[in-house]
Amino acid sequence: MDVVKRTRLSPEQRRAQLIDLGVKMLAQRPLEQISVEEIADQAGVSRGLLFHYFASKHDFHLAIVRHSSSEMLARTAPDPYVDDARDPLKILRSVLAAYVDYVSENRGTYVSLLRGTASGDPDMRAVFEETRAKMSERTLEQLPILGVERTPAVELTVRGWIAYVEEVTISWLRDPQLTREQLIELNVQALPALAVAAAPEIAAALVAATSASP
Amino acid sequence: MDVVKRTRLSPEQRRAQLIDLGVKMLAQRPLEQISVEEIADQAGVSRGLLFHYFASKHDFHLAIVRHSSSEMLARTAPDPYVDDARDPLKILRSVLAAYVDYVSENRGTYVSLLRGTASGDPDMRAVFEETRAKMSERTLEQLPILGVERTPAVELTVRGWIAYVEEVTISWLRDPQLTREQLIELNVQALPALAVAAAPEIAAALVAATSASP
């Protein structure tokens, strides 16, 4: 009797284990090639038991994508304890370094989710939309540090900037002509540049924030 | 005998007529709801004849998307004969006004293609990728006017700017809190702002180009 395979797990642990195996497999192949049979095999459970936790293959794939998205959000959470929290560019730089590293480590996953078959599925798209909305919200929450007002133009700009970062990073993965540092800097500098174009009063606030630093 | 329905068309004309009917229908509903039967009916031909021109429903849908994309590219071609061709912002403004108007008139089509089921189809995605590549290329072709060098960072920036414009415009269609003019200006100003962030020497070139205008 295989002890490893027969390990008793609580329902929550089993569900988490199956998702975790799916996320690992997603790093190596596109979502549509993740087979329920293989995952059940790796977990040492029957296909039937897997379908006890997930209503369908689609439901299982959706759980994998949701988990991947929260992992990315967790990895890229802004750190208010970076050296100088008064410098919003420093926070931004650490967020984008984490983003670029996450996407580089999970390039198969990320490109297949954003530009693959999954991008045409309404439920998957809802997960990406939600992820983007959270990334926008986080960015917008930093505005008070700069004394910048949250206007519709600023909100649109932040959404657009996230699309910019995604596109630039995916293009870079395909053809990395810049270094990691240059890519991060390109993504970082884009935000204040766009913000200044959307609301010129931000320029003054940025200058003030910079000169307030020691 | 119905003269209109029985009009004799050359194979090229018939093909164009079928695509044209598809494009019109796409303005009102998502691609996956475009029925071959309805189109054949409207053209007064049999379903069999339609499949003489298009190998499958997917092939017909792809022809519609290709036609839509070239129409958009034609509508948004830069006009070197705008009042002052030495002012690249003027050319950019007229291109983006045409883009925003095209997308507004075809919002059903555009949103369904960029964010709908079609976005998950590899052939459809190839059409969008090609369209984006052409939009990038057109923008990059304007660089010599500014004496700006085409570096990998500048190329990435232009690709990212197109993703920015798409996202901002789609978000605006869903919740139009800015006027058409404000949206166009937001999209226009984003490009020099991003370009300056990517390559600071562009700032000097822009100032020079502006002061060279009468």
Side-chain angles (χ1 to χ4, degrees), chain B residues 43-60:
Chain B
V45 303
S46 70
R47 202 167 164 279
L49 187 71
L50 191 142
F51 283 119
H52 174 73
Y53 292 104
F54 306 98
S56 62
K57 187 173 172 176
H58 175 262
D59 198 43
F60 179 52

PDB file of all heavy atoms in Angstrom, chain B residues 43-60:
ATOM      1  N   ALA B  43     -28.867  37.501 -48.473  1.00  0.00           N
ATOM      2  CA  ALA B  43     -28.221  37.660 -49.781  1.00  0.00           C
ATOM      3  C   ALA B  43     -29.051  36.996 -50.877  1.00  0.00           C
ATOM      4  O   ALA B  43     -28.767  37.166 -52.062  1.00  0.00           O
ATOM      5  CB  ALA B  43     -26.820  37.051 -49.738  1.00  0.00           C
ATOM      6  N   GLY B  44     -30.066  36.247 -50.472  1.00  0.00           N
ATOM      7  CA  GLY B  44     -30.898  35.551 -51.449  1.00  0.00           C
ATOM      8  C   GLY B  44     -30.160  34.396 -52.117  1.00  0.00           C
ATOM      9  O   GLY B  44     -30.372  34.097 -53.285  1.00  0.00           O
ATOM     10  N   VAL B  45     -29.256  33.761 -51.383  1.00  0.00           N
ATOM     11  CA  VAL B  45     -28.544  32.592 -51.922  1.00  0.00           C
ATOM     12  C   VAL B  45     -28.759  31.415 -50.964  1.00  0.00           C
ATOM     13  O   VAL B  45     -29.235  31.600 -49.848  1.00  0.00           O
ATOM     14  CB  VAL B  45     -27.016  32.845 -52.087  1.00  0.00           C
ATOM     15  CG1 VAL B  45     -26.765  34.049 -52.987  1.00  0.00           C
ATOM     16  CG2 VAL B  45     -26.330  33.020 -50.730  1.00  0.00           C
ATOM     17  N   SER B  46     -28.392  30.244 -51.424  1.00  0.00           N
ATOM     18  CA  SER B  46     -28.554  29.071 -50.565  1.00  0.00           C
ATOM     19  C   SER B  46     -27.375  28.978 -49.595  1.00  0.00           C
ATOM     20  O   SER B  46     -26.308  29.545 -49.842  1.00  0.00           O
ATOM     21  CB  SER B  46     -28.603  27.813 -51.413  1.00  0.00           C
ATOM     22  OG  SER B  46     -27.321  27.588 -51.964  1.00  0.00           O
ATOM     23  N   ARG B  47     -27.615  28.246 -48.495  1.00  0.00           N
ATOM     24  CA  ARG B  47     -26.564  27.990 -47.520  1.00  0.00           C
ATOM     25  C   ARG B  47     -25.384  27.283 -48.216  1.00  0.00           C
ATOM     26  O   ARG B  47     -24.226  27.561 -47.922  1.00  0.00           O
ATOM     27  CB  ARG B  47     -27.170  27.064 -46.453  1.00  0.00           C
ATOM     28  CG  ARG B  47     -26.487  27.068 -45.137  1.00  0.00           C
ATOM     29  CD  ARG B  47     -27.354  26.386 -44.101  1.00  0.00           C
ATOM     30  NE  ARG B  47     -26.549  26.055 -42.937  1.00  0.00           N
ATOM     31  CZ  ARG B  47     -25.759  24.989 -42.826  1.00  0.00           C
ATOM     32  NH1 ARG B  47     -25.697  24.119 -43.808  1.00  0.00           N
ATOM     33  NH2 ARG B  47     -25.032  24.795 -41.746  1.00  0.00           N
ATOM     34  N   GLY B  48     -25.726  26.412 -49.138  1.00  0.00           N
ATOM     35  CA  GLY B  48     -24.695  25.680 -49.887  1.00  0.00           C
ATOM     36  C   GLY B  48     -23.789  26.618 -50.671  1.00  0.00           C
ATOM     37  O   GLY B  48     -22.564  26.445 -50.689  1.00  0.00           O
ATOM     38  N   LEU B  49     -24.399  27.628 -51.302  1.00  0.00           N
ATOM     39  CA  LEU B  49     -23.581  28.561 -52.084  1.00  0.00           C
ATOM     40  C   LEU B  49     -22.622  29.328 -51.158  1.00  0.00           C
ATOM     41  O   LEU B  49     -21.451  29.551 -51.490  1.00  0.00           O
ATOM     42  CB  LEU B  49     -24.446  29.554 -52.877  1.00  0.00           C
ATOM     43  CG  LEU B  49     -23.615  30.426 -53.828  1.00  0.00           C
ATOM     44  CD1 LEU B  49     -23.084  29.612 -55.003  1.00  0.00           C
ATOM     45  CD2 LEU B  49     -24.398  31.631 -54.342  1.00  0.00           C
ATOM     46  N   LEU B  50     -23.130  29.721 -49.971  1.00  0.00           N
ATOM     47  CA  LEU B  50     -22.251  30.427 -49.015  1.00  0.00           C
ATOM     48  C   LEU B  50     -21.034  29.559 -48.700  1.00  0.00           C
ATOM     49  O   LEU B  50     -19.899  30.057 -48.692  1.00  0.00           O
ATOM     50  CB  LEU B  50     -23.038  30.775 -47.750  1.00  0.00           C
ATOM     51  CG  LEU B  50     -22.329  31.736 -46.793  1.00  0.00           C
ATOM     52  CD1 LEU B  50     -23.310  32.711 -46.160  1.00  0.00           C
ATOM     53  CD2 LEU B  50     -21.537  31.031 -45.701  1.00  0.00           C
ATOM     54  N   PHE B  51     -21.276  28.255 -48.511  1.00  0.00           N
ATOM     55  CA  PHE B  51     -20.148  27.368 -48.193  1.00  0.00           C
ATOM     56  C   PHE B  51     -19.273  27.069 -49.423  1.00  0.00           C
ATOM     57  O   PHE B  51     -18.232  26.437 -49.297  1.00  0.00           O
ATOM     58  CB  PHE B  51     -20.635  26.093 -47.500  1.00  0.00           C
ATOM     59  CG  PHE B  51     -20.981  26.338 -46.058  1.00  0.00           C
ATOM     60  CD1 PHE B  51     -22.271  26.133 -45.592  1.00  0.00           C
ATOM     61  CD2 PHE B  51     -20.024  26.817 -45.180  1.00  0.00           C
ATOM     62  CE1 PHE B  51     -22.584  26.390 -44.264  1.00  0.00           C
ATOM     63  CE2 PHE B  51     -20.329  27.074 -43.849  1.00  0.00           C
ATOM     64  CZ  PHE B  51     -21.616  26.865 -43.386  1.00  0.00           C
ATOM     65  N   HIS B  52     -19.727  27.524 -50.595  1.00  0.00           N
ATOM     66  CA  HIS B  52     -18.865  27.480 -51.774  1.00  0.00           C
ATOM     67  C   HIS B  52     -17.758  28.552 -51.640  1.00  0.00           C
ATOM     68  O   HIS B  52     -16.626  28.361 -52.079  1.00  0.00           O
ATOM     69  CB  HIS B  52     -19.721  27.715 -53.014  1.00  0.00           C
ATOM     70  CG  HIS B  52     -18.937  27.840 -54.275  1.00  0.00           C
ATOM     71  ND1 HIS B  52     -18.336  26.761 -54.894  1.00  0.00           N
ATOM     72  CD2 HIS B  52     -18.644  28.925 -55.030  1.00  0.00           C
ATOM     73  CE1 HIS B  52     -17.714  27.178 -55.977  1.00  0.00           C
ATOM     74  NE2 HIS B  52     -17.880  28.484 -56.081  1.00  0.00           N
ATOM     75  N   TYR B  53     -18.106  29.654 -50.989  1.00  0.00           N
ATOM     76  CA  TYR B  53     -17.134  30.747 -50.841  1.00  0.00           C
ATOM     77  C   TYR B  53     -16.302  30.639 -49.568  1.00  0.00           C
ATOM     78  O   TYR B  53     -15.174  31.119 -49.518  1.00  0.00           O
ATOM     79  CB  TYR B  53     -17.864  32.100 -50.854  1.00  0.00           C
ATOM     80  CG  TYR B  53     -18.456  32.411 -52.204  1.00  0.00           C
ATOM     81  CD1 TYR B  53     -19.818  32.283 -52.443  1.00  0.00           C
ATOM     82  CD2 TYR B  53     -17.624  32.783 -53.260  1.00  0.00           C
ATOM     83  CE1 TYR B  53     -20.352  32.547 -53.689  1.00  0.00           C
ATOM     84  CE2 TYR B  53     -18.151  33.042 -54.512  1.00  0.00           C
ATOM     85  CZ  TYR B  53     -19.510  32.921 -54.726  1.00  0.00           C
ATOM     86  OH  TYR B  53     -20.017  33.171 -55.960  1.00  0.00           O
ATOM     87  N   PHE B  54     -16.897  30.057 -48.527  1.00  0.00           N
ATOM     88  CA  PHE B  54     -16.186  29.947 -47.248  1.00  0.00           C
ATOM     89  C   PHE B  54     -16.223  28.493 -46.798  1.00  0.00           C
ATOM     90  O   PHE B  54     -17.295  27.879 -46.766  1.00  0.00           O
ATOM     91  CB  PHE B  54     -16.848  30.849 -46.200  1.00  0.00           C
ATOM     92  CG  PHE B  54     -16.977  32.274 -46.679  1.00  0.00           C
ATOM     93  CD1 PHE B  54     -18.174  32.737 -47.210  1.00  0.00           C
ATOM     94  CD2 PHE B  54     -15.886  33.139 -46.653  1.00  0.00           C
ATOM     95  CE1 PHE B  54     -18.291  34.038 -47.684  1.00  0.00           C
ATOM     96  CE2 PHE B  54     -15.993  34.443 -47.126  1.00  0.00           C
ATOM     97  CZ  PHE B  54     -17.196  34.892 -47.645  1.00  0.00           C
ATOM     98  N   ALA B  55     -15.058  27.961 -46.457  1.00  0.00           N
ATOM     99  CA  ALA B  55     -14.937  26.523 -46.159  1.00  0.00           C
ATOM    100  C   ALA B  55     -15.787  26.111 -44.954  1.00  0.00           C
ATOM    101  O   ALA B  55     -16.245  24.976 -44.873  1.00  0.00           O
ATOM    102  CB  ALA B  55     -13.474  26.175 -45.910  1.00  0.00           C
ATOM    103  N   SER B  56     -16.006  27.031 -44.018  1.00  0.00           N
ATOM    104  CA  SER B  56     -16.738  26.696 -42.790  1.00  0.00           C
ATOM    105  C   SER B  56     -17.291  27.983 -42.190  1.00  0.00           C
ATOM    106  O   SER B  56     -16.946  29.088 -42.631  1.00  0.00           O
ATOM    107  CB  SER B  56     -15.782  26.058 -41.787  1.00  0.00           C
ATOM    108  OG  SER B  56     -14.761  27.004 -41.458  1.00  0.00           O
ATOM    109  N   LYS B  57     -18.098  27.831 -41.173  1.00  0.00           N
ATOM    110  CA  LYS B  57     -18.634  28.994 -40.461  1.00  0.00           C
ATOM    111  C   LYS B  57     -17.461  29.807 -39.878  1.00  0.00           C
ATOM    112  O   LYS B  57     -17.447  31.038 -39.930  1.00  0.00           O
ATOM    113  CB  LYS B  57     -19.551  28.499 -39.339  1.00  0.00           C
ATOM    114  CG  LYS B  57     -20.286  29.600 -38.638  1.00  0.00           C
ATOM    115  CD  LYS B  57     -21.315  29.037 -37.658  1.00  0.00           C
ATOM    116  CE  LYS B  57     -21.903  30.167 -36.825  1.00  0.00           C
ATOM    117  NZ  LYS B  57     -22.972  29.697 -35.928  1.00  0.00           N
ATOM    118  N   HIS B  58     -16.483  29.072 -39.315  1.00  0.00           N
ATOM    119  CA  HIS B  58     -15.303  29.721 -38.744  1.00  0.00           C
ATOM    120  C   HIS B  58     -14.570  30.538 -39.804  1.00  0.00           C
ATOM    121  O   HIS B  58     -14.138  31.672 -39.562  1.00  0.00           O
ATOM    122  CB  HIS B  58     -14.379  28.647 -38.150  1.00  0.00           C
ATOM    123  CG  HIS B  58     -13.075  29.179 -37.639  1.00  0.00           C
ATOM    124  ND1 HIS B  58     -11.915  29.138 -38.374  1.00  0.00           N
ATOM    125  CD2 HIS B  58     -12.757  29.785 -36.474  1.00  0.00           C
ATOM    126  CE1 HIS B  58     -10.938  29.680 -37.676  1.00  0.00           C
ATOM    127  NE2 HIS B  58     -11.417  30.074 -36.518  1.00  0.00           N
ATOM    128  N   ASP B  59     -14.459  29.974 -41.005  1.00  0.00           N
ATOM    129  CA  ASP B  59     -13.794  30.643 -42.117  1.00  0.00           C
ATOM    130  C   ASP B  59     -14.554  31.917 -42.515  1.00  0.00           C
ATOM    131  O   ASP B  59     -13.951  32.953 -42.806  1.00  0.00           O
ATOM    132  CB  ASP B  59     -13.752  29.648 -43.291  1.00  0.00           C
ATOM    133  CG  ASP B  59     -12.729  30.031 -44.330  1.00  0.00           C
ATOM    134  OD1 ASP B  59     -11.613  30.419 -43.927  1.00  0.00           O
ATOM    135  OD2 ASP B  59     -13.047  29.970 -45.530  1.00  0.00           O
ATOM    136  N   PHE B  60     -15.878  31.833 -42.498  1.00  0.00           N
ATOM    137  CA  PHE B  60     -16.710  33.000 -42.814  1.00  0.00           C
ATOM    138  C   PHE B  60     -16.530  34.075 -41.735  1.00  0.00           C
ATOM    139  O   PHE B  60     -16.318  35.259 -42.039  1.00  0.00           O
ATOM    140  CB  PHE B  60     -18.178  32.564 -42.930  1.00  0.00           C
ATOM    141  CG  PHE B  60     -19.134  33.686 -43.221  1.00  0.00           C
ATOM    142  CD1 PHE B  60     -18.916  34.564 -44.290  1.00  0.00           C
ATOM    143  CD2 PHE B  60     -20.266  33.882 -42.433  1.00  0.00           C
ATOM    144  CE1 PHE B  60     -19.797  35.604 -44.558  1.00  0.00           C
ATOM    145  CE2 PHE B  60     -21.151  34.928 -42.698  1.00  0.00           C
ATOM    146  CZ  PHE B  60     -20.913  35.782 -43.756  1.00  0.00           C
TER     147      PHE B  60
END
